[in-house]
Amino acid sequence: MDHKEAKNQITRYKRLTELSTRVSSTLDLSSLLFEIVNAAADLCEAEEASILLYDELKGELHFEAATNMDNPLLLGFTVPMSSIAGWIVTNKQPIIIKDAQKDNRHFGNVGKSVNLSIKSLLGVPLLSKDKVIGCLEAINKVTGEFDEDDLEILGALGGQAAVAIENSRLFQQSDLISEFVHELRTPMASLNTAAHLLGRQGITEVQREKFIGMIKSETYRLAELSTSFLDLAKLESGRAQFKAELGALLPILEDCVGVMNNRAAEKNISLTIHVRGELPEITADRDKLKQVFLNLISNAIKYNYDHGQVDIDVSSDDGHIIVSVKDTGPGIPDEARKGLFQKFYRVPGTERLASGTGLGLSIVKRIVEAHKGEIRVESEVGKGATFIVVLPLNKNG
Ligand code: ADP
């Protein structure tokens, strides 16, 4: 190595230290992955970089972040284990490939979806305590070819990145788990009380029915809490997978209304969809969108008065579909609005109207944002609330 090369290498290691500090101080998983891919492209002078994480339970590899990923639906995309990334993970070995197009392990689908033609590639496994958690790839060296120096520096970054990813996952889990355990206490205490009362001598038949009803509703609440908790844990840790399917949105809304009709009828609430003009097709994960609208419609019924109304309005503008779910319930006071999308938050006073977990809207927000959409709420106290979801059509998805 001549003097100039040595100096160059020192500059790169300095940059590595700088970038590693940034990476290790980021705890939010999606920001962290974004920091890592940017650092990888920067250090290796590559056009792009990407991260794939390995799901040990399923034995699958998922595409999780890339420098050029403006299509959020690629998140969680499954990449076959027979691909180059799969080879890196299976063999726990780094690899340098001069021309990916000539390599029969090359899996072109991800590159195609982001309009990237992959030529040269450098990949390293992400190892945390000897366990492989995924791989980090630098794609298309800007000038020349990837060499051993690039490999060494990407390997060093990969080592730091793997630890940071594991830390971020643990941090998120412990945060969510402690809140979850805290939330379990109320239904468990109610169950205990009901069981105790049920065991008392001389209770009337009416009281017995009441205590059994209490047990049923609290167990239902526990089940609901567990399902929502698992959904949210998956979304927060980046393990949720999103499919990109092109199709009409209206049938999804009609399905949701079909599911919710009985609940609305029990409270004599009218549930209507209004379609404004022609609606373009949208690329989205249909099951996840269904979860979004089921949640919003269910809330609009739950937090509504008997004989009220729920109106679902669908329209489109250039590049978006806009869905609003409007109810005639008590509405949401201004000061409660910022807490609304936080985990376990419930607007004071609404507990009397309906049981709930306070997790639904956090899940909704995560799903909408994974589609690069937005959600907001408008409300005038006493006149109901309107939740508005704006979804981009994701035409290139
Ligand atoms: P859950 O309904 O299970 O409690 P969500 O996360 O869906 O959880 O909602 C959080 C809180 O926001 C609810 O507990 C309720 O206080 C409030 N909220 C949600 N939707 C409405 C609505 N349409 N009108 C009034 N308050 C609402």
Side-chain angles (χ1 to χ4, degrees):
M1 193 185 285
D2 65 24
H3 179 66
K4 197 168 149 235
E5 274 175 33
K7 209 170 146 207
N8 192 5
Q9 200 61 351
I10 292 170
T11 318
R12 285 176 90 189
Y13 270 89
K14 270 196 185 147
R15 186 93 188 100
L16 171 68
T17 317
E18 262 169 48
L19 292 170
S20 300
T21 314
R22 259 178 73 174
V23 162
S24 53
S25 59
T26 311
L27 273 170
D28 170 66
L29 187 66
S30 52
S31 322
L32 171 67
L33 297 178
F34 192 65
E35 290 282 354
I36 298 169
V37 287
N38 280 316
D42 180 342
L43 285 168
C44 298
E45 290 150 356
E47 272 179 24
E48 310 291 350
S50 54
I51 280 191
L52 295 101
L53 294 181
Y54 183 58
D55 181 338
E56 214 177 2
L57 283 177
K58 290 195 178 153
E60 283 178 2
L61 201 52
H62 302 293
F63 186 78
E64 295 294 344
T67 40
N68 60 338
M69 194 154 72
D70 43 18
N71 184 347
L73 292 171
L74 283 171
L75 262 182
F77 195 95
T78 308
V79 176
M81 291 305 287
S82 55
S83 62
I84 297 173
W87 185 93
I88 299 170
V89 166
T90 312
N91 294 283
K92 296 188 186 175
Q93 295 284 333
I95 200 167
I96 297 182
I97 290 182
K98 289 207 173 78
D99 188 352
Q101 304 298 331
K102 289 198 186 127
D103 193 302
N104 58 15
R105 289 168 296 194
H106 176 54
F107 176 66
N109 283 9
V110 173
K112 242 182 265 155
S113 315
V114 289
N115 286 330
L116 171 72
S117 161
I118 300 178
K119 195 167 182 302
S120 56
L121 184 149
L122 164 64
V124 295
L126 294 171
L127 298 167
S128 168
K129 296 190 212 91
D130 272 352
K131 200 177 81 180
V132 60
I133 63 163
C135 74
L136 175 60
E137 294 182 339
I139 295 151
N140 297 346
K141 177 97 178 167
V142 177
T143 42
E145 285 175 357
F146 289 120
D147 58 18
E148 290 297 317
D149 290 342
D150 294 318
L151 196 150
E152 199 178 303
I153 205 148
L154 193 67
L157 177 71
Q160 310 256 8
V163 176
I165 292 170
E166 286 288 82
N167 282 344
S168 146
R169 282 173 165 171
L170 285 172
F171 177 77
Q172 276 177 6
Q173 272 172 16
S174 63
D175 199 29
L176 191 61
I177 287 171
S178 55
E179 282 181 90
F180 175 62
V181 170
H182 181 77
E183 289 299 316
L184 289 180
R185 289 194 184 149
T186 321
M188 301 242 254
S190 310
L191 278 175
N192 194 12
T193 312
H196 180 76
L197 293 172
L198 203 56
R200 274 194 326 184
Q201 299 269 318
I203 55 167
T204 64
E205 190 55 25
V206 175
Q207 283 173 321
R208 205 176 75 91
E209 289 291 321
K210 189 180 147 204
F211 302 144
I212 290 176
M214 228 164 112
I215 292 176
K216 280 189 186 153
S217 73
E218 289 305 317
T219 36
Y220 176 77
R221 198 161 114 84
L222 280 174
E224 222 182 3
L225 197 60
S226 312
T227 313
S228 301
F229 169 78
L230 287 178
D231 279 350
L232 192 61
K234 235 177 163 182
L235 286 162
E236 286 201 342
S237 66
R239 282 179 295 122
Q241 291 154 39
F242 284 80
K243 286 178 266 172
E245 302 149 316
L246 181 69
L249 185 70
L250 195 56
I252 299 181
L253 296 172
E254 285 166 346
D255 271 4
C256 295
V257 167
V259 173
M260 289 292 160
N261 258 331
N262 279 346
R263 278 203 227 169
E266 281 168 16
K267 289 178 81 172
N268 283 306
I269 290 172
S270 69
L271 187 54
T272 325
I273 301 179
H274 310 269
V275 183
R276 318 265 171 210
E278 285 274 306
L279 297 177
E281 292 198 317
I282 182 166
T283 303
D285 185 315
R286 311 185 69 75
D287 291 334
K288 296 236 171 27
L289 284 192
K290 197 167 163 186
Q291 203 177 349
V292 164
F293 296 114
L294 275 177
N295 239 301
L296 295 179
I297 299 169
S298 156
N299 280 349
I301 297 170
K302 269 186 357 187
Y303 305 105
N304 207 330
Y305 302 117
D306 285 2
H307 303 283
Q309 247 171 276
V310 174
D311 291 289
I312 304 156
D313 223 282
V314 207
S315 61
S316 67
D317 69 10
D318 193 23
H320 303 89
I321 288 194
I322 303 130
V323 183
S324 66
V325 180
K326 183 174 174 8
D327 64 60
T328 49
I332 299 161
D334 277 354
E335 64 277 12
R337 219 164 297 166
K338 56 178 182 314
L340 215 51
F341 296 98
Q342 281 167 20
K343 281 174 281 195
F344 300 110
Y345 179 83
R346 303 199 69 200
V347 177
T350 50
E351 299 92 336
R352 280 184 293 109
L353 284 173
S355 76
T357 61
L359 289 178
L361 288 177
S362 311
I363 295 173
V364 162
K365 189 167 193 298
R366 289 261 172 187
I367 297 178
V368 169
E369 286 176 353
H371 284 84
K372 276 249 159 103
E374 275 173 33
I375 179 160
R376 62 173 198 276
V377 58
E378 288 171 3
S379 175
E380 200 179 321
V381 175
K383 292 202 173 154
T386 308
F387 284 81
I388 301 152
V389 177
V390 181
L391 293 165
L393 300 177
N394 287 321
K395 282 193 200 118
N396 308 319

